[in-house]
Amino acid sequence: MKKVMKVAIAFVFSLSACFANAASHYISGKITNITAIEGALLIMVDNGNIPDHCKGTPYNWLKIKQENTTMVSVVLTQWASNNRTATVYTSGIENAGSYCLVTQVDPLG
C-alpha cells in the first residue's frame, strides 16, 4: 500500500512539472514564442500565462529590454537549442499600456 501511495504522489508531482506555475512576480514554464520589437525582445511563456502583476500587458508579452544583453542572449540561445523551460521574473508593467518588464531569466535544465 505504501509503495502504491509513493508512486501516486510521484506521478502527481511529475504532472505538475508540465504546467506553468505563476505567482505575483514570476512564471515558470516553457517559452513558447518570441518576437523582436524596436529596443526589446518579447517573450511568451506557456502560450500567454503571466505573473499576477503583469495583467494588462499587451497580448501577454513579457519585455526584455535590448540593454539587458545577457538576458536576451540567454533566451535566444535557449530558443535556438530548443531548451526553452525557464523561470521568468518580472517587475510589473513599466507604464500604462506598455509591456511587463522581465528582470531575470533562469533557465531550467
Side-chain angles (χ1 to χ4, degrees), residues 3 37-40 45 64 86 96:
K3 188 171 185 167
I37 61 171
E38 184 177 347
V45 180
I64 303 172

Side-chain angles (χ1 to χ4, degrees), residues 57-103:
T57 190
Y59 305 100
N60 293 344
W61 286 106
L62 305 175
K63 178 181 178 181
I64 303 172
K65 290 183 176 183
Q66 181 178 355
E67 63 200 45
N68 298 316
T69 56
T70 304
M71 280 194 288
V72 170
S73 296
V74 166
V75 170
L76 291 176
T77 301
Q78 282 188 273
W79 190 262
S81 67
N82 202 24
N83 180 18
R84 300 175 183 167
T85 306
T87 299
V88 178
Y89 297 90
T90 59
S91 62
I93 295 177
E94 188 174 25
N95 300 311
S98 67
Y99 296 101
C100 188
L101 292 179
V102 174
T103 57

